[in-house]
Amino acid sequence: EVGLLGAVSFIAGTMIGSGIFISPQHVLSAIGSPAASMIIWASCGGLAMLGGLCYAELGTVIPESGAEYVYILRTTGKLAAFLFVFSFVNVMRPASATGIALSVAEYVVAPFYSDCAPPQLLVKCAAAGCILTLAVVNCLSVRIATLIQVLCTVVKLLALTVIALGGCVMLFQGQTGSIDSFEGTNVGVNSIGIAFYQGLWSYDGWNTLNFLTEELKHPEVNLPRAVIIAISLVTGLYLLVNVSYLTVMTPKELMMSNAVAVTWNKVLGSWGWIMSVAAALSAFGSLNGTFFSGGRVCFVAAREGHMFQPDILAMAHVRRLTPSPALIFTTFVSLLVLIPGDFQSIVNYFFTAWFFYGITLSGLIYLKIKRPDLPRVPIILPVIVIIAAVFLVLAPIIDSPQIEYLYVALFIFSGVIVYIPFIHYKVCPGLLTKLTVFLQLFLEVAPAEKNI
């Protein structure tokens, strides 16, 4: 049921979350100069576009939902695919959803605590409410979830357009700020790496559509079109938004302040609260896209026999045609992750994500060599993205080793201990069969065939 408009909305709507409202000052702080920060933002957009085009080819060659999971499964093998889904379902996607939900909650409760920080318990309760609301919506209807994504995307595009136009007005008035200044640029590997991490966090979600390829109308046409339209649109808006920030504020003000709040106050005056609402809806739409895609990975992995009890998680509602058991499971894990609410898990998630991006695109190179007749992007594109992935994974470890990186690596490879008995040898108690039958009747779900 997802057409081109919905496809563009899912990519752009997931990419434009809370990142663009908080990352600009961190990119500038890391790289040191306004002109260099603009280069970083443009480079991040270019890297997202290259990755999106490579994934579009993978989605055409392997027209199954599941993105990295199914691509790794078809090219690298079952064990590598299980290690990905083990990390994705238990840490990567729940951590991402939790971080975005907390961002929505902060925007929602902040107006009631203008003179102090809101209580963390209240923020977490609001975040849990957002997660449960979107879980119910995604379980009820693909069409409603798509409509929410389209509406939230429109709101956030309007919000960013207003900010960008504010900067353009300043430029026409001659207030160019210091956009073209390279003074103070940090050229160290660590500084560039941190700046790229902050920028790419705002672009994360460029691969969203590959998670739901089977639900896309004419994926061989709409997938690459949606990738090109959405990523180009987001990159252009991000650059204009950063121009707006740098014309309204000095680099020092941008690094020291909440960039968006200061920009709204200067550009919109007393109407700045409208942008606060738009920012909350922006993060809400990103959370919706995260839920929509994350549930599909759990569903596809269960269909391939890579969950502990695959039967129930591989089923869809008999009338609504949504993978409701997988969505419920994803919601449950996200709520568990929300309890500690540690934002460091988001950093770990992003570090892990680029590790698996590199593995996925290595599989694309393998396909290009093995099957030269397939539709293709130039082989140099996946090579560039793989080099970038290696840099983003190794640079922070080499430059500033931390024990958290070891924990992440150990967690990923601990999946082998789970895979051998439960997946490979299928050691599974018979009690789960009765539970599956009960849940199938209770949730009104049935096994679903592949839509390819």
Side-chain angles (χ1 to χ4, degrees), residues 60 151 169 210 331 358 372:
T60 303
L151 292 176
V169 169
N210 293 78
T331 302

Side-chain angles (χ1 to χ4, degrees), residues 359-402:
I359 293 177
T360 302
L361 293 177
S362 299
L364 176 59
I365 294 177
Y366 166 78
L367 286 177
K368 285 180 172 295
I369 295 173
K370 184 179 179 181
R371 301 173 61 184
D373 58 311
L374 294 174
R376 60 188 50 240
V377 295
I379 195 170
I380 188 63
L381 299 191
V383 170
I384 292 173
V385 181
I386 289 172
I387 293 172
V390 171
F391 171 78
L392 289 169
V393 170
L394 295 182
I397 298 175
I398 295 173
D399 190 78
S400 179
Q402 297 179 26

Side-chain angles (χ1 to χ4, degrees), residues 245-395:
Y245 291 159
L246 292 168
T247 55
V248 173
M249 291 173 286
T250 66
K252 185 176 181 180
E253 287 176 329
L254 180 59
M255 286 186 285
M256 298 297 292
S257 306
N258 184 328
V260 179
V262 174
T263 303
W264 295 342
N265 291 337
K266 288 190 175 185
V267 176
L268 297 177
S270 60
W271 291 93
W273 64 270
I274 296 177
M275 300 303 292
S276 298
V277 174
L281 289 174
S282 174
F284 189 76
S286 183
L287 180 60
N288 182 58
T290 300
F291 253 100
F292 196 97
S293 59
R296 270 64 184 171
V297 175
C298 183
F299 169 77
V300 173
R303 194 172 60 186
E304 297 290 339
H306 275 179
M307 300 297 287
F308 301 120
Q309 177 62 10
D311 294 340
I312 189 66
L313 295 179
M315 295 182 186
H317 197 277
V318 292
R319 293 188 305 277
R320 300 187 180 98
L321 306 181
T322 58
S324 50
L327 287 166
I328 293 170
F329 177 78
T330 303
T331 302
F332 176 74
V333 177
S334 297
L335 291 174
L336 288 180
V337 174
L338 179 63
I339 295 174
D342 184 8
F343 277 97
Q344 184 61 41
S345 60
I346 299 174
V347 178
N348 293 342
Y349 146 73
F350 206 51
F351 157 78
T352 308
W354 278 94
F355 171 75
F356 285 110
Y357 289 160
I359 293 177
T360 302
L361 293 177
S362 299
L364 176 59
I365 294 177
Y366 166 78
L367 286 177
K368 285 180 172 295
I369 295 173
K370 184 179 179 181
R371 301 173 61 184
D373 58 311
L374 294 174
R376 60 188 50 240
V377 295
I379 195 170
I380 188 63
L381 299 191
V383 170
I384 292 173
V385 181
I386 289 172
I387 293 172
V390 171
F391 171 78
L392 289 169
V393 170
L394 295 182

Side-chain angles (χ1 to χ4, degrees), residues 26-369:
H26 297 300
V27 173
L28 180 59
S29 178
I31 202 65
S33 72
S37 72
M38 296 298 293
I39 293 175
I40 292 293
W41 280 99
S43 300
C44 289
L47 185 59
M49 179 64 80
L50 295 182
L53 291 173
C54 293
Y55 269 54
E57 178 173 339
L58 280 167
T60 303
V61 175
I62 307 173
E64 301 178 51
S65 297
E68 288 90 359
Y69 167 74
V70 73
Y71 304 148
I72 294 174
L73 178 65
R74 302 301 178 217
T75 58
T76 308
K78 293 182 178 180
L79 178 58
F82 177 80
L83 293 181
F84 167 79
V85 80
F86 180 76
S87 304
F88 185 92
V89 171
N90 292 299
V91 175
M92 290 162 59
R93 190 45 57 108
S96 178
T98 299
I100 300 171
L102 288 170
S103 298
V104 178
E106 289 282 358
Y107 280 112
V108 170
V109 304
F112 302 99
Y113 294 87
S114 56
D115 298 328
C116 61
Q120 281 302 300
L121 178 60
L122 179 62
V123 172
K124 289 185 178 181
C125 288
C130 292
I131 290 173
L132 290 172
T133 299
L134 287 177
V136 171
V137 168
N138 279 273
C139 286
L140 289 178
S141 172
V142 172
R143 190 166 296 175
I144 296 176
T146 304
L147 179 61
I148 289 176
Q149 195 69 14
V150 171
L151 292 176
C152 288
T153 300
V154 170
V155 170
K156 65 183 69 179
L157 289 178
L158 288 174
L160 293 184
T161 301
V162 169
I163 297 175
L165 288 177
C168 292
V169 169
M170 297 293 181
L171 284 176
F172 285 127
Q173 292 176 349
Q175 300 182 29
T176 58
S178 54
I179 297 175
D180 57 350
S181 173
F182 282 96
E183 183 179 353
T185 302
N186 300 322
V187 294
V189 172
N190 187 47
S191 299
I192 295 174
I194 292 174
F196 263 100
Y197 260 116
Q198 291 292 341
L200 286 170
W201 172 249
S202 296
Y203 283 97
D204 194 41
W206 49 265
N207 59 335
T208 297
L209 205 56
N210 293 78
F211 288 107
L212 47 133
T213 306
E214 293 175 40
E215 297 172 69
L216 186 64
K217 297 176 182 177
H218 310 297
E220 67 283 353
V221 175
N222 286 331
L223 182 56
R225 284 182 181 175
V227 165
I228 293 172
I229 294 171
I231 297 178
S232 299
L233 179 64
V234 171
T235 302
L237 277 173
Y238 279 7
L239 291 174
L240 289 174
V241 166
N242 277 276
V243 169
S244 176
Y245 291 159
L246 292 168
T247 55
V248 173
M249 291 173 286
T250 66
K252 185 176 181 180
E253 287 176 329
L254 180 59
M255 286 186 285
M256 298 297 292
S257 306
N258 184 328
V260 179
V262 174
T263 303
W264 295 342
N265 291 337
K266 288 190 175 185
V267 176
L268 297 177
S270 60
W271 291 93
W273 64 270
I274 296 177
M275 300 303 292
S276 298
V277 174
L281 289 174
S282 174
F284 189 76
S286 183
L287 180 60
N288 182 58
T290 300
F291 253 100
F292 196 97
S293 59
R296 270 64 184 171
V297 175
C298 183
F299 169 77
V300 173
R303 194 172 60 186
E304 297 290 339
H306 275 179
M307 300 297 287
F308 301 120
Q309 177 62 10
D311 294 340
I312 189 66
L313 295 179
M315 295 182 186
H317 197 277
V318 292
R319 293 188 305 277
R320 300 187 180 98
L321 306 181
T322 58
S324 50
L327 287 166
I328 293 170
F329 177 78
T330 303
T331 302
F332 176 74
V333 177
S334 297
L335 291 174
L336 288 180
V337 174
L338 179 63
I339 295 174
D342 184 8
F343 277 97
Q344 184 61 41
S345 60
I346 299 174
V347 178
N348 293 342
Y349 146 73
F350 206 51
F351 157 78
T352 308
W354 278 94
F355 171 75
F356 285 110
Y357 289 160
I359 293 177
T360 302
L361 293 177
S362 299
L364 176 59
I365 294 177
Y366 166 78
L367 286 177
K368 285 180 172 295
I369 295 173

